[in-house]
Amino acid sequence: MDHSEKEKKQKKNSWKSEILEWIIVIEVAVVVAVILNLFIIVNAVIPTASMEPTVMTGDRVFGNRLAYLSEDPQRGDIVMFKFPDDESQLFIKRIIGMPGETLEMKDGKIYINGSDTALDEPYLTVVPVGDYGPVTIPEDAYFMMGDNRNISADSRYWVNTFVYREKIEGKAALKYYPNIKKL
């Protein structure tokens, strides 16, 4: 084998090696992405204005699947969950009612357990209207509402009113498109 044939063979092997390296890198990236998506993050595109202005139509949001491993969901948390009436859909809403509570909406204000004081909701920018309830939330379940209450299809309107703990996919953590904002 002369010198030029040796160089051609080395180039051919180098080219094959380069392709193999890229295939391995791509496979590792795919495995990491799948693991992240299944166990660590939940990703959603906001389809409606029900959570405006907190998250806007078209925003892209990451949720943390690990957020509730060591603590329970809290009132005010924005969570991503399987829609109770069609679990193939992912919804994002705010937790308003907690397990075991009685919730009532009067003139757009939320009252918990018959309190005379309305729930403090500083994230609302549009004055909500309407009445609902009272309704008692089952143990291990939550009552969800959008921040844009007057147009939000939320627990008030669903056939299966409540979101059970095991259906919560994650706590909304970061809006990453079109700009970055911690939620």
Side-chain angles (χ1 to χ4, degrees):
M1 188 181 295
D2 71 359
H3 185 69
S4 65
E5 285 181 33
K6 219 176 191 179
E7 282 181 11
K8 285 180 187 176
K9 191 172 184 177
Q10 284 177 336
K11 283 183 181 178
K12 187 175 180 182
N13 286 340
S14 172
W15 181 77
K16 285 180 182 178
S17 176
E18 181 80 18
I19 288 176
L20 183 60
E21 287 176 21
W22 276 106
I23 289 171
I24 291 169
V25 166
I26 291 169
E27 286 177 345
V28 168
V30 168
V31 168
V32 168
V34 168
I35 289 170
L36 281 172
N37 198 41
L38 287 175
F39 301 110
I40 299 174
I41 63 169
V42 58
N43 186 14
V45 177
I46 308 305
T48 69
S50 71
M51 284 297 294
E52 289 184 1
T54 307
V55 285
M56 305 297 284
T57 305
D59 283 355
R60 294 171 190 260
V61 176
F62 282 137
N64 179 359
R65 290 186 189 274
L66 305 176
Y68 299 124
L69 287 180
S70 61
E71 64 181 48
D72 289 328
Q74 300 296 310
R75 184 183 338 274
D77 287 357
I78 300 172
V79 295
M80 300 151 101
F81 55 91
K82 293 179 181 176
F83 176 41
D85 293 344
D86 177 1
E87 290 191 4
S88 69
Q89 294 184 52
L90 186 66
F91 268 40
I92 182 169
K93 301 284 183 202
R94 191 179 294 274
I95 296 174
I96 301 300
M98 301 295 289
E101 293 181 338
T102 298
L103 177 144
E104 186 171 13
M105 182 176 182
K106 293 187 236 173
D107 296 322
K109 293 181 176 66
I110 302 296
Y111 296 89
I112 303 295
N113 295 330
S115 173
D116 291 334
T117 305
L119 190 64
D120 182 29
E121 298 185 278
Y123 41 81
L124 297 179
T125 59
V126 174
V127 176
V129 296
D131 297 324
Y132 179 85
V135 62
T136 299
I137 302 159
E139 289 303 319
D140 206 34
Y142 300 87
F143 192 90
M144 306 291 185
M145 296 180 87
D147 288 358
N148 193 352
R149 299 271 160 82
N150 298 331
I151 65 162
S152 178
D154 51 38
S155 284
R156 296 170 290 169
Y157 305 106
W158 303 335
V159 173
N160 298 293
T161 306
F162 308 105
V163 174
Y164 285 85
R165 175 84 152 76
E166 70 270 8
K167 302 301 180 184
I168 295 176
E169 295 288 310
K171 181 178 180 180
L174 180 74
K175 179 178 81 160
Y176 66 92
Y177 178 86
N179 52 28
I180 295 175
K181 175 185 170 189
K182 187 176 185 263
L183 297 175

